[in-house]
Amino acid sequence: MAVSDTKVKEAIILDIQRMSTEDGPGLRTTVFFKGCNLACPWCHNPESIDRKSDLNWFSQKCMGCNICRDACPQKGISRNDNGINFNRPLCVACGSCADACPQAAIELKGNAIGVEKLAAELVKDRAYFGADGGITLSGGEVLIQHEAALELSRLIKAEGVNVAVDTAGCYDFRLLEAMLPYIDIVLYDLKIFDNEAHKQIVKGDNRLITENYRQLIDSNTRVWVRTPIIKGATDSEENIAAIGSFIANAGLPERWELCAFNNLCLDKYRRLDREWDHSGDGLTEKAHIEKLTEIAQRYVPCAMYTGAVKE
């Protein structure tokens, strides 16, 4: 591993996922950064939104020993009929409860790791990447931790490994621009085209995101656009047509994925003691997403849908 010639930085990460087939081309190792500046109500990584660490409680592992309660210096853990109750506003994310739990039923999500150490860990997987695979920096929003992300991408690229960045694009473009010399592909979200609806639902300015997309396309970087298909939010024919028209005008990506909805993240919300607005939604109807894909292809021939659907 090459030695960095800049000050060593730390990244706050959630997880490292290996053998991923959904985070860019080929087989990939994906590292999930913590922190996001948007608040998508359908988020599949709710533990990634806050920059601070979160406690996850796995009820199926808990044996009711109360050791975690006694270990908490804030006295923020109690028991109720449903099991453990965390007074989350009191939590300082010290990890004492997780360290004390004999069943590993509590997990602290969000750990600091030196960027050089992280890069060395990630490139260990290069043997299975093949010609198309590599490492994907995801989140949360990677660019929230832009200094660490820049250094990490530089170190990985120095090892000759393909680098992808998965981003929602809501920031000063100069942050992403600084990374482009070390990035092979950008996975770029375009969710809701109408700016007022985008600000209301996602809590971010889509005008910034679309302008950043234009600049990204102008940089001649390899780009995949992704649009999550979410009931009542992004799945209207009007929204897909508006995004498609914008892409056709701004510049075509290599591909545009319409990502079918699933509720596989429901347990993540339960482990965080959070309600999820989309918990009752089922898989995207096949006929509906096929219609949306047909509309998308009128503007962007490379459009396709991905993910499991309901027949």
Side-chain angles (χ1 to χ4, degrees), residues 255-302:
R255 64 195 285 179
W256 178 17
E257 297 181 347
L258 308 186
C259 305
F261 172 85
N262 67 68
N263 63 2
L264 297 178
C265 63
L266 180 56
D267 278 346
K268 292 184 177 183
Y269 284 86
R270 290 171 175 163
R271 293 197 293 266
L272 293 167
D273 298 325
R274 298 179 190 173
E275 297 293 328
W276 188 35
D277 293 343
H278 293 276
S279 60
D281 294 352
L283 292 176
T284 306
E285 297 277 351
K286 182 178 181 181
H288 182 49
I289 200 168
E290 285 181 340
K291 178 61 176 178
L292 295 180
T293 304
E294 177 187 334
I295 292 169
Q297 288 173 342
R298 295 174 192 169
Y299 302 92
V300 182
C302 62

Side-chain angles (χ1 to χ4, degrees), residues 96 127 164 169 191 205 210 221 230-231 236 242 249 264 270 307:
S96 297
K191 301 179 176 74
D205 191 336
T210 52
T221 303
I230 310 298
K231 184 178 180 180
S236 71
N249 177 265
L264 297 178
R270 290 171 175 163

Side-chain angles (χ1 to χ4, degrees), residues 78-209:
S78 59
R79 294 195 65 82
N80 57 27
D81 292 341
N82 296 319
I84 294 295
N85 178 59
F86 295 98
N87 187 334
R88 293 185 182 269
L90 284 180
C91 181
V92 295
C94 67
S96 297
C97 57
D99 292 340
C101 179
Q103 294 293 107
I106 301 173
E107 184 176 336
L108 193 65
K109 303 294 286 186
N111 299 296
I113 180 172
V115 172
E116 290 185 349
K117 180 178 179 181
L118 178 58
E121 178 63 28
L122 294 170
V123 300
K124 288 178 181 178
D125 301 330
R126 67 197 313 166
Y128 70 72
F129 292 154
D132 297 326
I135 293 167
T136 300
L137 315 187
S138 186
E141 174 52 69
V142 176
L143 274 297
I144 292 294
Q145 299 185 52
H146 58 91
E147 289 186 349
L150 172 60
E151 180 65 1
L152 181 61
S153 61
R154 190 183 74 81
L155 289 169
I156 294 170
K157 196 61 189 170
E159 294 294 313
V161 175
N162 181 285
V163 180
V165 168
D166 184 358
T167 178
C170 194
Y171 42 74
D172 187 322
F173 183 75
R174 289 174 294 183
L175 300 180
L176 180 59
E177 186 177 36
M179 294 180 65
L180 292 182
Y182 315 111
I183 296 174
D184 296 282
I185 182 168
V186 176
L187 314 179
Y188 199 88
D189 286 0
L190 293 173
K191 301 179 176 74
I192 302 172
F193 191 76
D194 181 82
N195 193 47
E196 290 306 310
H198 194 279
K199 288 192 289 186
Q200 181 180 357
I201 296 172
V202 177
K203 315 303 181 189
D205 191 336
N206 194 51
R207 292 173 300 186
L208 176 60
I209 295 169

Side-chain angles (χ1 to χ4, degrees), residues 51-63:
R51 184 70 181 271
K52 68 180 183 65
S53 298
D54 289 303
L55 288 176
N56 279 236
W57 177 57
F58 297 81
S59 59
Q60 69 274 21
K61 294 182 180 181
C62 181
M63 64 181 186

